[in-house]
Amino acid sequence: MEPLLEVTGLHVEFRTRDGVAKVLNGVDYAVDAGETLAVLGESGSGKSVTANTIMGILETPPGVVTAGSVRYRGEDLLTASPERRRELRGENIAMIFQDALSALNPVFTVGFQIGEQLRTRRGMSRRDAERRAVELLDLVGIPAAKQRVRDHPHQFSGGMRQRVMIAMSLALDPDVLIADEPTTALDVTVQAQIMDLLAEIQADRHMGLILITHDLGVVAEVADRIAVMYAGRIVENADVHALYANPCHPYTRSLLESIPRVDTKGSELRAIKGLPPNLTRIPPGCPFHPRCPMARDVCHEVVPPLEVLPGPRSSACLFAEELVIR
Ligand SMILES: Nc1ncnc2c1ncn2[C@@H]1O[C@H](COP(=O)(O)OP(=O)(O)O)[C@@H](O)[C@H]1O
Ligand code: SF4
Ligand SMILES: [Mg+2]
């Protein structure tokens, strides 16, 4: 059976005056109904560009898809007409963004904004749309939803605004939800609450959830699988427990070692040495080799393919087999 949403060999470049940045260099991942896939990687690794390409909101130009496919229930979205893409957006695939304040319109009430798609795409009356907006606000845990539906975005706290965004994304009942760093702007307690809410909604509606983050700690409890991204490629993809117990790519190992732990609170976060590559000049061979503690001569020449290991899981390291604990 085909996956609900599948990205295969996706390549995206940004052509700017400063040169061609090869931002995505063959992204492969898939999410099934009822599954939460966390996409994890340092800032600049291409997580948002992948999400925007799936949604059909890649800024073109300067962004250009040069290869690959995005399939929703088998249908290739990259070759679909703009009308078809608009139809799918919100209705089948929806997205929530990091910054709810700039994603929401300050001028209109939250109820009006949640109801907008219901009015324009479902032909609902203003009253029915508002009634449905109240239900949705209630669903995402906003107290006194009936009163608050007529409030404006600035009257909500950061966490509550993010809940409004989630309500808005659910209005048309999508079966794929992409959440791009939905909790980054929030404090730790609120982060956990929003994560719990997303996990609950995902399970109730049997959605495929793509949860983008740069924080491995945040997703540990809600993800089924984790796809680790580096320089525009997936370097490891595994079940969340397998990934924690036995990371099979040196980059994933470094990420795990850099998580601040509760028992070492106050001590310094162990950052990964070096910087991600400049995407206009990605080093030859394995793009991670300048930072890799395991790098050997061959790593400077051979680009490691994402290969399947027993599990099933996959790793794009030439020496992944050596990392597998049997
Ligand atoms: N509109 C744009 N023009 C030029 N470069 C861009 C644009 N959008 C993103 N990029 C570049 O693409 C790379 C990946 O960005 P992004 O997907 O946003 O990373 P992240 O993993 O942090 O979400 C970055 O190097 C970024 O500078
Ligand atoms: S291929 Fe080489 S450089 Fe790349 S992650 Fe594996 S050991 Fe490190
Ligand atoms: Mg991003």
Side-chain angles (χ1 to χ4, degrees):
M1 226 178 64
E2 63 207 2
L4 181 58
L5 185 90
E6 186 177 30
V7 177
T8 314
L10 190 63
H11 285 69
V12 169
E13 303 179 348
F14 281 95
R15 298 175 182 162
T16 66
R17 262 179 303 175
D18 303 330
V20 177
K22 297 198 181 283
V23 168
L24 301 187
N25 299 292
V27 177
D28 299 290
Y29 65 61
V31 67
D32 280 316
E35 185 185 45
T36 297
L37 172 78
V39 178
L40 178 79
E42 285 167 290
S43 172
S45 55
K47 305 180 298 294
S48 296
V49 169
T50 308
N52 293 346
T53 308
I54 295 171
M55 282 303 285
I57 55 170
L58 176 72
E59 203 191 329
T60 312
V64 184
V65 177
T66 55
S69 68
V70 175
R71 289 180 187 280
Y72 169 75
R73 296 186 185 278
E75 177 181 355
D76 189 353
L77 301 187
L78 299 182
T79 55
S81 68
E83 294 73 42
R84 177 67 183 140
R85 300 225 65 183
R86 255 195 306 277
E87 206 174 278
L88 289 164
R89 234 183 338 264
E91 191 86 45
N92 303 76
I93 310 173
M95 185 159 165
I96 57 181
F97 301 91
Q98 177 181 326
D99 183 4
L101 194 55
S102 57
L104 292 167
N105 190 325
V107 178
F108 298 109
T109 67
V110 299
F112 183 86
Q113 294 182 65
I114 295 168
E116 187 163 19
Q117 305 186 73
L118 295 167
R119 293 188 305 274
T120 58
R121 294 173 71 164
R122 292 283 158 82
M124 270 191 195
S125 69
R126 237 181 133 111
R127 246 179 100 161
D128 287 346
E130 187 178 275
R131 199 172 298 136
R132 181 66 188 137
V134 172
E135 285 170 11
L136 287 162
L137 288 176
D138 196 44
L139 176 87
V140 298
I142 293 191
K146 213 165 169 177
Q147 285 78 51
R148 304 233 56 190
V149 73
R150 298 210 172 148
D151 283 348
H152 290 79
H154 73 268
Q155 292 171 282
F156 291 82
S157 67
M160 286 296 158
R161 254 189 320 257
Q162 199 52 278
R163 288 176 192 264
V164 170
M165 278 267 284
I166 296 171
M168 205 154 116
S169 73
L170 297 176
L172 298 179
D173 230 341
D175 47 14
V176 178
L177 182 61
I178 305 174
D180 191 356
E181 312 224 16
T183 64
T184 303
L186 308 173
D187 72 49
V188 178
T189 327
V190 182
Q191 278 190 7
Q193 291 163 359
I194 298 288
M195 278 298 151
D196 288 347
L197 172 68
L198 278 173
E200 197 184 299
I201 288 169
Q202 178 275 332
D204 281 354
R205 300 180 164 227
H206 204 63
M207 284 192 300
L209 174 63
I210 299 175
L211 194 54
I212 298 173
T213 179
H214 64 262
D215 185 344
L216 190 41
V218 167
V219 296
E221 282 165 38
V222 298
D224 297 306
R225 296 184 72 76
I226 296 188
V228 181
M229 214 162 163
Y230 190 78
R233 292 178 69 206
I234 303 301
V235 294
E236 181 160 13
N237 186 331
D239 169 78
V240 63
H241 302 291
L243 190 107
Y244 270 88
N246 178 200
C248 289
H249 192 285
Y251 179 60
T252 314
R253 286 173 56 145
S254 309
L255 281 179
L256 284 168
E257 283 163 7
S258 72
I259 301 182
R261 292 172 43 157
V262 185
D263 52 329
T264 57
K265 209 172 176 182
S267 72
E268 202 139 293
L269 175 71
R270 230 191 82 183
I272 305 173
K273 77 169 170 96
L275 290 171
N278 177 335
L279 299 173
T280 59
R281 280 178 277 121
I282 296 176
C286 174
F288 188 55
H289 83 247
R291 303 170 81 185
C292 182
M294 275 177 58
R296 301 167 208 185
D297 287 347
V298 62
C299 303
H300 299 224
E301 287 154 25
V302 178
V303 181
L306 184 63
E307 270 179 338
V308 178
L309 300 166
R313 58 188 305 180
S314 42
S315 165
C317 171
L318 297 171
F319 302 103
E321 289 283 350
E322 292 177 17
L323 296 171
V324 180
I325 300 168
R326 288 179 204 276

